[in-house]
C-alpha cells in the first residue's frame, strides 16, 4: 500500500499541470499582506533529482519539463512556474525538479506556514531534512487525509490545501472526496485542490461526479490529456479540481492549457478541458 514512489514520474506532464496550478494559487495568495497556511496531504520528498537511478528509469521528465524549458514566448503563468525550476538549476542543466512543497516554498514569506504530510517511511525523513525549520514547516509522518480534520481551520484564516494521493489504493478516490467535505465544512473559505490521474475516462468522471454531489459551490475543473484516454494503459492525462480558485485562474488556464497541449501531446487525440463543476 506504500509502494508508490513519485521519483519515477517526476517532471512529467501531470506534474507540470499540478505545479502550474499550485504556482498560480500561491501567486494569488501572496498578493495580500495577510499570512496563509498551506497543507499538503501527500508531500513526497519535496524535490526530485532527475539524474537519480529512479528518475532515469523511465525518463518521464524528458517528454515533460525538459520539453517545456526548450520553448520560448510562453504565457506569463507558465514562465513564472518555470522560473522556480530555473532557480533550482542555476547552471542551466536540468538536474532538480520541485515537488509541490518546493513550489509553495518559492512564494513563502516569513509569516506563512507549511504543514507537510508524508507517510512513506523512506520519503518522510528526506522531506523532513529538506524543511528543517519548524517555524516555517511542520513535517509529519502522517496520513494526510486525517490532517485535513486536525489542521483546519488554520489560525491564519487563509489557507490552501493540496490533496494528491497516488490512487494506488482504489479507496483513495473515496477518501479524497470525504477529506474535501471534512475540510470545507470546517473551513469553507479555504482553497482546495484535488489532483487526479486520467487512467480511463470512467474513473475520472466518477470522481468528478462525486465531487459535484458534495454540493460544494465554486468548483473549477482543469484537465490535460496528452493522448487518447482509452487506447493505451497508463496515465493519459491528469486534472485538478479546485474549490474557491483565484478569480484569475479560469482565464489563466484558458491561456495556458492549449499551449501545454500542443507542446506535450503524444498523439492527435490530446485534449484539455476547463469548466465549472459547480458555479459560485
Amino acid at each position: 500500500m506504500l509502494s508508490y514512489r513519485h521519483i519515477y514520474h517526476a517532471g512529467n506532464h501531470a506534474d507540470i499541470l499540478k505545479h502550474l496550478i499550485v504556482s498560480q494559487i500561491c501567486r494569488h495568495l501572496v498578493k495580500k499582506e495577510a499570512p496563509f497556511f498551506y497543507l499538503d496531504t501527500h508531500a513526497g520528498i519535496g524535490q526530485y533529482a532527475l539524474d537519480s537511478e529512479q528518475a532515469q528509469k523511465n525518463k518521464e521528465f524528458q517528454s515533460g519539463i525538459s520539453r517545456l524549458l526548450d520553448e520560448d514566448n510562453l504565457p506569463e503563468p507558465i514562465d513564472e512556474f518555470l522560473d522556480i525550476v530555473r532557480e533550482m538549476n542555476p547552471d542551466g542543466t536540468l538536474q532538480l525538479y520541485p515537488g509541490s512543497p518546493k513550489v509553495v516554498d518559492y512564494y513563502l514569506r516569513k509569516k506563512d506556514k507549511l504543514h507537510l504530510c508524508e507517510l512513506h517511511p523512506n520519503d518522510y525523513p528526506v522531506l523532513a531534512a529538506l524543511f528543517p525549520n519548524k517555524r516555517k514547516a511542520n513535517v509529519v509522518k502522517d496520513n494526510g487525509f486525517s490532517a485535513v480534520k486536525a489542521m483546519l481551520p488554520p489560525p491564519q484564516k487563509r489557507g490552501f490545501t493540496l490533496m494528491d494521493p497516488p490512487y494506488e489504493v482504489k479507496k483513495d478516490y473515496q477518501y479524497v472526496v470525504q477529506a474535501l467535505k471534512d475540510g470545507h465544512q470546517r473551513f469553507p473559505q479555504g482553497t482546495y485542490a484535488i489532483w487526479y490521474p486520467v487512467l480511463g475516462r470512467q474513473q475520472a468522471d466518477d470522481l468528478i461526479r462525486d465531487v459535484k454531489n458534495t454540493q460544494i459551490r465554486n468548483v473549477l475543473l482543469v484537465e490535460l490529456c496528452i493522448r487518447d484516454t482509452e487506447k493505451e494503459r497508463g496515465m493519459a492525462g491528469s486534472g485538478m479540481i479546485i474549490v474557491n480558485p483565484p478569480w484569475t485562474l479560469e482565464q489563466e488556464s484558458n491561456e495556458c492549457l492549449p499551449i501545454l497541449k500542443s507542446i506535450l501531446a503524444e498523439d492527435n487525440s490530446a485534449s484539455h478541458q476547463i469548466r465549472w463543476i459547480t458555479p459560485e
Side-chain angles (χ1 to χ4, degrees):
M1 291 177 70
L2 287 172
S3 61
Y4 180 84
R5 307 295 299 282
H6 190 70
I7 184 65
Y8 290 96
H9 312 286
N12 69 1
H13 58 92
D15 265 359
I16 288 170
L17 177 67
K18 175 170 61 179
H19 295 143
L20 174 63
I21 298 296
V22 168
S23 171
Q24 288 306 103
I25 292 171
C26 291
R27 194 177 174 197
H28 180 79
L29 284 168
V30 297
K31 286 180 179 177
K32 292 187 177 178
E33 283 297 315
F36 75 90
F37 174 80
Y38 171 70
L39 170 60
D40 196 323
T41 63
H42 297 77
I45 60 174
Q47 67 181 20
Y48 299 90
L50 300 181
D51 57 357
S52 66
E53 181 183 347
Q54 298 98 323
Q56 288 289 319
K57 184 174 181 181
N58 298 318
K59 297 184 178 180
E60 293 189 22
F61 62 89
Q62 288 188 346
S63 58
I65 189 63
S66 293
R67 198 181 289 180
L68 201 59
L69 284 165
D70 286 340
E71 295 289 329
D72 296 319
N73 302 316
L74 293 166
E76 185 182 352
I78 298 176
D79 210 40
E80 176 99 2
F81 160 61
L82 291 179
D83 281 344
I84 303 171
V85 182
R86 294 184 190 110
E87 186 174 280
M88 293 177 67
N89 299 277
D91 67 354
T93 302
L94 181 61
Q95 294 178 310
L96 287 174
Y97 181 79
S100 303
K102 284 294 283 185
V103 173
V104 178
D105 187 39
Y106 177 81
Y107 293 95
L108 217 66
R109 305 159 300 183
K110 283 187 177 180
K111 54 192 168 185
D112 304 320
K113 183 81 176 198
L114 304 170
H115 188 87
L116 310 176
C117 304
E118 180 50 52
L119 198 55
H120 198 289
N122 295 332
D123 289 354
Y124 162 72
V126 179
L127 179 68
L130 188 64
F131 289 95
N133 183 351
K134 294 192 180 302
R135 289 187 177 182
K136 175 196 278 192
N138 290 322
V139 183
V140 295
K141 188 180 178 185
D142 194 11
N143 179 331
F145 291 133
S146 62
V148 174
K149 266 189 174 180
M151 301 306 300
L152 299 179
Q156 293 85 353
K157 299 180 182 177
R158 300 175 72 225
F160 168 30
T161 298
L162 175 66
M163 295 185 271
D164 61 335
Y167 299 96
E168 61 177 340
V169 179
K170 288 289 187 286
K171 284 195 172 180
D172 278 353
Y173 288 92
Q174 299 167 32
Y175 294 152
V176 78
V177 175
Q178 186 59 52
L180 174 62
K181 288 165 68 176
D182 291 341
H184 190 267
Q185 186 174 20
R186 298 174 67 82
F187 185 42
Q189 71 269 38
T191 295
Y192 301 84
I194 295 173
W195 175 87
Y196 64 90
V198 181
L199 301 166
R201 193 66 262 167
Q202 188 61 53
Q203 203 166 41
D205 287 345
D206 286 348
L207 174 63
I208 295 164
R209 179 205 63 212
D210 290 346
V211 169
K212 184 173 184 176
N213 287 344
T214 65
Q215 299 186 338
I216 293 170
R217 310 297 298 176
N218 198 22
V219 186
L220 182 67
L221 171 73
V222 181
E223 186 182 282
L224 173 67
C225 293
I226 61 166
R227 63 171 187 267
D228 187 282
T229 58
E230 305 302 328
K231 281 185 180 177
E232 297 179 40
R233 289 176 64 85
M235 186 167 59
S238 66
M240 295 284 276
I241 296 169
I242 308 108
V243 177
N244 298 328
W247 66 272
T248 54
L249 189 61
E250 181 184 17
Q251 177 187 337
E252 289 160 352
S253 299
N254 277 313
E255 182 183 7
C256 295
L257 266 287
I259 292 169
L260 288 182
K261 183 182 74 173
S262 67
I263 294 170
L264 303 176
E266 287 187 359
D267 65 27
N268 57 14
S269 296
S271 62
H272 74 277
Q273 59 170 325
I274 300 153
R275 62 181 174 87
W276 291 94
I277 296 175
T278 48
E280 192 166 3

